[in-house]
Amino acid sequence: MPALVLLGAQWGDEGKGKATDLLGGSVDYVVRYQGGNNAGHTVVVGDQKYALHLLPSGILSPGCTPVIGNGVVVDPSVLFSELNGLNDRGVDTSKLLISGNAHIITPYNVTVDKVTERFLGKRKIGTTGRGIGPTYADKINRVGIRIQDLYDESILTQKVEAALDGKNQLLTKVFNRRAIEVGQVVEELLGYADRLKPYVADTVLVLNQALEQDKVVLFEGGQGTLLDIDHGTYPFVTSSNPTAGGACTGAGVGPTKISRVIGILKAYTTRVGSGPFPTELFDEDGDALRRIGGERGVTTGRDRRCGWFDAVIARYATRVNGLTDFFLTKLDVLTGWEQIPVCVAYEIDGRRVEELPYSQTDFHHAKPVYEYLPGWSEDITKAKSFSDLPKNAQDYVKALEEMSGAPISAIGVGPGRDETIEVNSFL
C-alpha cells in the first residue's frame, strides 16, 4: 500500500513544499490533511517560484491529483485567489478535489481571531490572524460550517445563526465591536457555492479506492511537529494535528494503509510566532542564517526566528511520528561557517536532559548543550551525489542522522527542484 506521509519535523517552514514537489512526479495524489492558509509552501520550478498557502504542492505536478482533505479548514476567498494566480501562470488546476466535510473559515472566524489576539496583548499566541483557530474551535464545539452546507441554504442559515448567537455577544459586550449580521454572512458564503461545486468530492472514498488500486498517495502536512495541538509546545501551537496521526483523521485513511513517514528537517532550526526556542540566536550568526536562508514566512511575511540544529527535537519528532526517513533541507545555507554548533541535549536546573521535557515549565528553561562540528567553505549547490559533498558536510549529515534516529534519505543543497541529492528512494 504505497501511502506516504510527509511532514515537518521542527516548527514548520522546513521546506516541505520542495520535498513534496520532488515526489510529485512519482505520485498519483497529494493530500493536505490539516491546517489552512496559515501554512505556506515555497516551490521553485526552474526560474519560477510559487508560494502556496492552502493548495497542496502536488498541484504543480502534471498528472497528479491534488486533494484538500476533511481535516483542512478552507477560506474560499484565499482558495480562489490561489487558483486564479496559478491559472494566470498557466498551471492546470482542474484536477483539484476538496472534501465536502472540510470546514469553512467564515468572516466572523477571522474577526474573532484578530480581536482576541489583540486583546491578549503580551500573552498573545502569535497566530496569523486568518481565522484558523476559531474555525477549529467551532468544529469542536459543533457549530462549524462545512463546505457541504453551502448546498442547503436552510441548514447553512441555521448554522450561521447558531454560531453568531454567542459570537455577537462576545464581540459587542467584551470587545466593543459591531454585531455581525446573519444574512450578510449567508449571502457571502452562498456566493462561493457554484465555483466550489466542481471540486467538491467524497475524498475519503476517492483516496481509499486509489490505495486499493495501488495508486501512490502522498499526505502532506502543514506547519510542523512542534506546532501540533497535542504534541507541540502548547499553547504556542497550531489548532490541528500536523503529526502523522493527523493524516489518518484528516484524510479518512486508516493507519494500516501508511507505508512510510518522512520528516522534513532543516539543517538548522527556525520558528515563527511566540513560544520557547532553546537554540534561538540573537547575534550575527542568527542574522546570517536569516539572510542567507531567506527566512521570511511564506504566509505571514514575518522574519523567522533562527537557531542551530536541535537534535533533541529531531529525536522527539522521530518518536511521535514513527518516522522512517528524513529529508534534510537547506544544507547549503551552512556553507562558510568554520564550526557549526549542534544542540545534543538541554541543561535544565543544572541537569543534563537528552529528551524533550514533557513539562512546559522545564522546556521554557531549557538551555542548549552544544557539540561543535567542523564546517566547510566549498559551494555545494552543484552536488549531485552524497560523495560530491565536502567531507565535513558529509560528516555533518551523518552526525545529524545518528542523533535524530532515522536515515536521511534526501538532502537539499539549494532551492531549485533539481538541487537535491537523493541518498535513498522514498518510493
Side-chain angles (χ1 to χ4, degrees), residues 242-272:
T243 44
C248 298
T249 55
V253 172
T256 55
K257 301 285 180 71
I258 306 298
S259 53
R260 209 155 183 178
V261 184
I262 304 161
I264 315 304
L265 274 177
K266 200 173 281 185
Y268 47 101
T269 310
T270 62
R271 81 170 295 176
V272 172

Side-chain angles (χ1 to χ4, degrees), residues 231-400:
H231 304 292
T233 49
Y234 191 89
F236 304 101
V237 292
T238 194
S239 302
S240 57
N241 292 107
T243 44
C248 298
T249 55
V253 172
T256 55
K257 301 285 180 71
I258 306 298
S259 53
R260 209 155 183 178
V261 184
I262 304 161
I264 315 304
L265 274 177
K266 200 173 281 185
Y268 47 101
T269 310
T270 62
R271 81 170 295 176
V272 172
S274 306
F277 182 1
T279 66
E280 184 172 10
L281 296 168
F282 301 95
D283 58 10
E284 60 186 20
D285 283 332
D287 292 338
L289 288 174
R290 188 176 300 109
R291 183 183 69 256
I292 299 168
E295 296 298 350
R296 180 175 288 267
V298 177
T299 296
T300 64
R302 294 180 288 186
D303 283 344
R304 295 177 185 138
R305 301 157 64 190
C306 295
W308 299 120
F309 185 85
D310 190 329
V312 181
I313 284 173
R315 285 194 293 273
Y316 177 75
T318 301
R319 182 177 304 115
V320 299
N321 292 297
L323 296 179
T324 59
D325 304 82
F326 280 115
F327 187 135
L328 185 71
T329 63
K330 291 199 169 184
L331 184 64
D332 54 300
V333 173
L334 296 180
T335 298
W337 268 272
E338 186 174 338
Q339 283 191 319
I340 305 173
V342 174
C343 174
V344 297
Y346 300 142
E347 180 185 313
I348 303 173
D349 296 331
R351 297 176 291 115
R352 181 185 172 101
V353 176
E354 298 194 355
E355 302 297 344
L356 195 77
Y358 76 90
S359 163
Q360 175 183 337
T361 300
D362 282 351
F363 194 54
H364 271 277
H365 291 97
K367 297 178 181 178
V369 176
Y370 287 118
E371 287 185 6
Y372 295 84
L373 303 179
W376 61 91
S377 58
E378 300 91 331
D379 179 11
I380 66 171
T381 58
K382 300 297 187 290
K384 299 300 180 185
S385 67
F386 188 71
S387 61
D388 290 341
L389 294 173
K391 182 179 184 304
N392 286 353
Q394 293 183 32
D395 290 344
Y396 184 80
V397 172
K398 291 175 182 176
L400 265 53

Side-chain angles (χ1 to χ4, degrees), residues 144-183:
I145 310 298
R146 298 191 293 180
I147 285 176
Q148 61 172 282
D149 297 330
L150 300 184
Y151 305 102
D152 189 321
E153 185 173 349
S154 175
I155 287 178
L156 176 63
T157 303
Q158 291 174 46
K159 288 191 171 185
V160 172
E161 286 175 346
L164 284 179
D165 276 347
K167 287 180 175 58
N168 276 334
Q169 295 291 321
L170 182 71
L171 289 170
T172 58
K173 296 182 179 179
V174 177
F175 297 123
N176 197 29
R177 297 289 293 260
R178 185 181 303 172
I180 297 172
E181 295 181 10
V182 172

Side-chain angles (χ1 to χ4, degrees), residues 55 75-88 195:
L55 293 169
D75 185 326
S77 64
V78 172
L79 174 68
F80 295 147
S81 176
E82 279 196 54
L83 290 172
N84 291 341
L86 291 177
N87 292 336
D88 289 345
R195 187 172 178 190

